[in-house]
Amino acid sequence: MNRRLLIVIAALASLFAIVVFAVPAFAQSAGPANPTIPIPRINIGVSPATKPSDVALSLQILVLLTVVTLAPTLLVLLTSFTRIVIVLSFVRTALGTQQVPPTQVLVGLSLLLTFFVMNPVIQDINKNALQPYLSNKISQSVAVDRAAKPLRAFMFKQTREKDIALFYSLTKEKRPANQAEVPTYLLVPAFVISELKTAFQIGFAIYIPFIVIDMVVASVLLSMGMMMIPPVIISLPFKILIFLLVDGWNLTVAALFASFQR
């Protein structure tokens, strides 16, 4: 055992000697006829701006990084994603299938359905705001205003006046005469709580038939004296079977799309 340890120590010492002595010698002997592979050097620093354009460019990069960071939050708060993902989660919970479908599947399906619902808004923004801006026909501020109009129209259509009035009462601001006077920072939270309420209403309607199945199965098991068997184990196959017979996913998606057409 000591002999093996000595061999290992000797090998490590030899390797260390090669690294310490051979590499510098190789670097010194390298010349124009025998160049070495250059190692790049990267310098990261901050230098003072000398022109107004440098400041504008820095601010544009900062705004772009901020928008990219907040993109997931904007997707959740300004689109139909919130309602869709909550309703699909209610379906999974009502079925009692735990993690089936997986969360990744529900989120992916919610994103696809969100793009379907928001497609008219996306096309409007692309046609009237993005493409003219990329063609240098309009300024950045005009493009932002044009992009906000269809998005605000969508949010107003799905937002209850009661929710907008709530945030006006909290901020003590003067009530608006029309929708154009409602600021976006008040419209967005009102839209979110309206979406939450609508999603929970749809989820409650989804829960009712599954609760009835659970109650029927529990009553049957109790009448048979089989109190040691959890009713959920027996009712789960029946709930899945009935959900498949009525084409539940089709009905759920159809109900979601119909809820956005009101």
Side-chain angles (χ1 to χ4, degrees):
M1 184 67 183
N2 294 333
R3 184 178 178 181
R4 292 182 179 178
L5 181 60
L6 292 175
I7 293 175
V8 172
I9 294 175
L12 293 176
S14 302
L15 181 61
F16 179 78
I18 292 174
V19 173
V20 172
F21 298 105
V23 173
F26 177 76
Q28 292 176 0
S29 62
N34 187 22
T36 58
I37 299 176
I39 299 177
R41 182 179 64 182
I42 301 175
N43 293 328
I44 300 177
V46 178
S47 59
T50 58
K51 298 181 295 183
S53 59
D54 296 338
V55 179
L57 180 60
S58 301
L59 293 177
Q60 289 178 358
I61 295 175
L62 180 62
V63 171
L64 178 61
L65 293 176
T66 304
V67 172
V68 171
T69 304
L70 297 177
T73 304
L74 296 176
L75 174 66
V76 171
L77 297 182
L78 304 181
T79 65
S80 58
F81 179 83
T82 301
R83 183 189 306 185
I84 294 174
V85 73
I86 290 176
V87 170
L88 295 182
S89 300
F90 268 119
V91 173
R92 182 177 67 179
T93 306
L95 281 171
T97 53
Q98 302 300 328
Q99 297 299 322
V100 179
T103 303
Q104 293 85 350
V105 174
L106 292 184
V107 173
L109 179 59
S110 300
L111 286 173
L112 292 177
L113 295 179
T114 299
F115 288 131
F116 272 102
V117 173
M118 303 297 297
N119 185 53
V121 178
I122 295 174
Q123 289 183 354
D124 192 346
I125 294 175
N126 180 64
K127 179 181 178 181
N128 299 322
L130 181 59
Q131 293 303 325
Y133 174 71
L134 295 178
S135 302
N136 294 325
K137 295 181 180 179
I138 58 176
S139 62
Q140 184 177 3
S141 60
V142 175
V144 172
D145 292 337
R146 290 187 179 182
K149 288 182 179 179
L151 192 59
R152 282 171 56 90
F154 171 80
M155 289 192 289
F156 271 117
K157 189 177 180 181
Q158 309 301 327
T159 306
R160 296 174 176 83
E161 294 183 1
K162 180 180 179 181
D163 296 327
I164 298 178
L166 169 64
F167 287 96
Y168 266 97
S169 63
L170 294 176
T171 56
K172 308 296 183 181
E173 292 190 9
K174 182 181 178 181
R175 297 299 176 92
N178 50 50
Q179 292 182 351
E181 296 182 1
V182 178
T184 304
Y185 75 91
L186 290 181
L187 175 60
V188 172
F191 169 74
V192 172
I193 63 174
S194 294
E195 287 292 281
L196 290 174
K197 182 177 180 180
T198 304
F200 273 74
Q201 288 175 342
I202 300 175
F204 175 76
I206 291 173
Y207 249 101
I208 292 177
F210 295 108
I211 291 177
V212 172
I213 295 174
D214 288 332
M215 293 176 62
V216 171
V217 171
S219 300
V220 172
L221 292 178
L222 184 61
S223 63
M224 296 175 62
M226 303 174 65
M227 294 177 293
M228 300 301 295
I229 301 178
V232 177
I233 297 178
I234 306 300
S235 64
L236 178 59
F238 290 100
K239 290 191 289 187
I240 295 176
L241 177 61
I242 294 176
F243 190 74
L244 292 176
L245 290 177
V246 300
D247 200 358
W249 291 113
N250 186 290
L251 293 177
T252 302
V253 173
L256 281 171
F257 275 87
S259 67
F260 288 104
Q261 302 301 322
R262 62 183 179 85

